[in-house]
Amino acid sequence: MKRRHFIGASATALATGAVAAPALAQTQPEVKWRLTSSFPRSLDTIFGTAQTFAKYVAEATDGRFQIQTFPAGELVPGLQALDAVSTGSVECAQTATYFYTGKDTALAFGTGVPFGFNSRQQHSWWFFGGGEQIINGVLAKYNVTGMPLGNSGCQMGGFFRKELNDVADLKGLKFRIGGIGGQVLAKLGVVPQQIAPSDVYPALERGSIDAAEFVGPYDDEKLGLVKVAKYYYYPGWWEGGAMLHLVINNAQWNALPKHYQAIVRNAAEAANNWMLAKYDSVNPPALRRLVQQGVELKPFPASIMEAGYKASFELYNELAATNPAFKQALDSMLAIRADQLVWWQIAEYAYDSYNIRSRGRG
């Protein structure tokens, strides 16, 4: 009797296993995606964020969801990443939405605009201030959806061959900068230049440009600009907290099981935090090294900051008058920013300012 019971129980277990294994496979399908980045492999923090994201997705699915990452130029040029995802040539991309203001100026707000948010405020606006709905509303026209995938924090203002004392020093200045920031500076007499990272050093060395901004000390050090430009200005008021995005083809996104979508979202958020933490770790020692190499750190003169602020909002009002999506994003940013800055002054700014003043007291 016991033997018959054991045989029957074993048969039931085998039958259950035969059903469970295929069911598990159906809920954990094998998926292979390609991610094209707008950034070169040499930017190991930015491109490393895409690699970190792909690793998190693979780990969370026991390797059943694989995302192969490609730096700019291997599959498509960096500034064509959104187009490649839109057409379905690749499943997803790591990029900055402000690269595509030629398609819709509202996309500038996805990354950040001059005198906009810092990194934490940008993050808050995306999730709780309507940013996600506004930017994805625009991206939907191109058959993609986006989510945060990294932030540089506040960037530097760049390397300059000559010292800046007043707004007049910007007249005719050939400056490697693009996007909304370039449009603002053009109002102040700057001649914006779009130059690939690999070409910045020789252009500055030859004098075909007078200044160049890139990211921050860690990445700027790699370009070697300290050898050909003495003055290093701060802050990069056109990028107070530049947010990057993972953009995904809508058909590919909708084809994913819901739990895979949740894994992608959480992996992107974890990688987003990884990038900001990494920059906060590597920028301070890089800045010290640059100073040791002879760079002169300079704050932008107050007159330039004031002129930049005024020109920024002149441009915003012009763009808002012709683009309802831009106006919606601007109104949303200004409302959230007004509240955020009051809170920041009371808490974060007061706390940080005291610690800065007390630095070195031990």
Side-chain angles (χ1 to χ4, degrees), residues 86 107 134-146 250:
S86 177
L107 291 175
I134 293 169
I135 301 303
N136 273 329
V138 176
L139 290 176
K141 296 186 294 185
Y142 305 100
N143 194 35
V144 304
T145 189
N250 277 338

Side-chain angles (χ1 to χ4, degrees), residues 264-289:
V264 168
R265 287 189 181 280
N266 283 286
E269 183 63 14
N272 182 75
N273 294 330
W274 180 92
M275 178 174 163
L276 190 55
K278 174 76 181 296
Y279 269 130
D280 282 343
S281 173
V282 298
N283 275 330
L287 183 60
R288 285 196 297 271
R289 290 192 297 269

Side-chain angles (χ1 to χ4, degrees), residues 153-304:
C154 186
Q155 298 189 10
M156 290 293 286
F159 286 87
F160 291 72
R161 291 167 60 90
K162 67 175 185 178
E163 190 173 2
L164 302 176
N165 296 302
D166 206 328
V167 179
D169 293 326
L170 297 176
K171 302 294 184 183
L173 187 89
K174 297 187 291 294
F175 188 18
R176 188 265 182 193
I177 186 174
I180 292 287
Q183 290 179 256
V184 170
L185 283 165
K187 284 179 168 288
L188 305 182
V190 169
V191 183
Q193 307 286 308
Q194 291 273 21
I195 300 176
S198 59
D199 297 327
V200 172
Y201 181 93
L204 201 54
E205 184 181 37
R206 291 192 306 266
S208 54
I209 60 174
D210 305 303
E213 64 87 37
F214 197 45
V215 182
Y218 181 70
D219 291 327
D220 292 353
E221 182 185 30
K222 293 179 181 180
L223 293 182
L225 302 184
V226 64
K227 300 173 185 176
V228 290
K230 180 179 180 180
Y231 302 103
Y232 196 28
Y233 277 89
Y234 65 89
W237 43 265
W238 44 87
E239 291 184 280
M243 178 182 279
L244 305 183
H245 284 80
L246 173 71
V247 294
I248 306 171
N249 178 273
N250 277 338
Q252 296 291 335
W253 175 248
N254 293 332
L256 288 180
K258 292 298 182 185
H259 65 292
Y260 271 21
Q261 290 183 351
I263 286 169
V264 168
R265 287 189 181 280
N266 283 286
E269 183 63 14
N272 182 75
N273 294 330
W274 180 92
M275 178 174 163
L276 190 55
K278 174 76 181 296
Y279 269 130
D280 282 343
S281 173
V282 298
N283 275 330
L287 183 60
R288 285 196 297 271
R289 290 192 297 269
L290 286 170
V291 171
Q292 289 166 1
Q293 293 174 55
V295 75
E296 287 195 28
L297 276 176
K298 294 275 188 180
F300 281 116
S303 59
I304 289 180

Side-chain angles (χ1 to χ4, degrees), residues 113-122 124-125 240-241 309 313 332-353:
V113 297
F115 298 103
F117 295 124
N118 66 22
S119 58
R120 273 181 52 186
Q121 293 162 355
Q122 179 79 9
S124 177
W125 175 74
Y309 192 93
F313 284 89
S332 171
M333 183 199 79
L334 291 178
I336 298 297
R337 179 172 165 271
D339 281 343
Q340 288 277 6
L341 289 178
V342 171
W343 165 240
W344 214 263
Q345 182 178 11
I346 296 298
E348 305 287 346
Y349 178 78
Y351 178 73
D352 290 343
S353 296

Side-chain angles (χ1 to χ4, degrees), residues 18-40:
V19 172
L24 181 62
Q26 288 171 9
T27 59
Q28 292 279 101
E30 288 196 5
V31 177
K32 294 186 185 298
W33 277 8
R34 293 178 303 166
L35 178 153
T36 185
S37 177
S38 288
F39 307 96

